[in-house]
Amino acid sequence: MVKPRRLSIRFRMVHARAVPRRKPSAPEPHLSATDWEVAALAAVAEHGLAGIAVEPLARRLGVTKGSFYWHFADRDALLRAALARWEQDYTDRVIAAVAEVATPRARLRQLIGSVVAGGRGDRIHLALASSELPVVRDTVARVTRRRLDYLASCYVELGQARRLARESALLAYTAYVGLVHLRLEAPDALPTAAAFAAYVDQLMTRLVP
């Protein structure tokens, strides 16, 4: 009775040695909520609001869905966080940076010069502005009012009466929105690279007294 038991033990030991050990999988990158928010905005720029989807974003970031649920309860929570990130990065930080410029005329020129340069912000703006979701529409409306108020304050500092300053701010902002649409919808209608600098100078002359 002893010998079969010893054979059984020997078989298990040999079998255990014959099975290759699995290599430990590489750890997932340590991502913050900000990483997800930034990736969500990049996806909005490329695919519209449909780009905010957990699985595609996880693949984009090289992680599993489990990483997402460390930071957000669901997609709606990520959408709200991405909207707050958009407001902070594309409005709050821009205003804070421009506020360091010495004169209101120079601030306006810097603001206008930065928006005519274009970029990812144009595509995000259009995607959000075309949404029918209440949370998105409320955010866009609040951001628009904030931008108009800041533009108006710059024109007031230039010496314009408040009513005229509001009109000047509205003119400047509608020029920006029109440029965003034109750049993405009919880019051939814009001046070529050689003539674009002259276009910007003319825009500045009309918008910054």
Side-chain angles (χ1 to χ4, degrees):
M1 296 296 292
V2 176
K3 290 183 180 180
R5 184 180 179 185
R6 289 178 179 175
L7 287 173
S8 175
I9 293 172
R10 286 183 62 191
F11 173 77
R12 287 199 298 269
M13 292 176 63
V14 171
H15 180 70
R17 288 195 298 268
V19 176
R21 293 181 179 179
R22 291 184 178 179
K23 294 182 179 180
S25 58
E28 289 189 345
H30 180 67
L31 298 181
S32 65
T34 299
D35 294 319
W36 282 93
E37 293 159 11
V38 171
L41 288 179
V44 169
E46 296 171 11
H47 308 293
L49 282 178
I52 300 184
V54 178
E55 290 189 13
L57 285 173
R59 289 195 298 270
R60 184 187 192 109
L61 292 167
V63 295
T64 62
K65 289 194 299 182
S67 174
F68 169 83
Y69 291 106
W70 274 105
H71 303 291
F72 304 101
D74 50 30
R75 178 189 179 275
D76 287 344
L78 175 58
L79 172 60
R80 291 190 295 271
L83 289 170
R85 174 64 49 187
W86 172 70
E87 185 171 359
Q88 179 180 346
D89 288 353
Y90 289 89
T91 299
D92 296 346
R93 288 184 179 178
V94 172
I95 290 175
V98 173
E100 300 296 323
V101 179
T103 67
R105 180 173 286 101
R107 289 199 292 274
L108 284 168
R109 290 184 68 89
Q110 182 167 319
L111 273 173
I112 294 168
S114 65
V115 299
V116 299
R120 177 183 292 178
D122 288 2
R123 298 188 295 275
I124 297 174
H125 181 102
L126 282 182
L128 297 181
S130 62
S131 172
E132 296 296 329
L133 291 175
V135 64
V136 179
R137 294 182 67 85
D138 289 347
T139 301
V140 172
R142 182 175 61 253
V143 166
T144 300
R145 288 192 299 269
R146 174 97 187 277
R147 292 173 176 180
L148 285 170
D149 288 344
Y150 184 74
L151 284 168
S153 71
C154 291
Y155 283 108
V156 167
E157 286 189 65
L158 280 176
Q160 292 186 354
R162 291 193 177 278
R163 180 176 178 180
L164 179 58
R166 294 295 299 181
E167 293 174 356
S168 297
L170 185 61
L171 180 64
Y173 197 73
T174 52
Y176 157 68
V177 173
L179 183 61
V180 168
H181 278 270
L182 195 61
R183 185 185 288 118
L184 297 179
E185 297 167 7
D188 293 342
L190 290 172
T192 61
F196 198 76
Y199 162 76
V200 173
D201 287 341
Q202 186 179 26
L203 191 63
M204 294 286 194
T205 300
R206 297 190 180 191
L207 295 179
V208 185

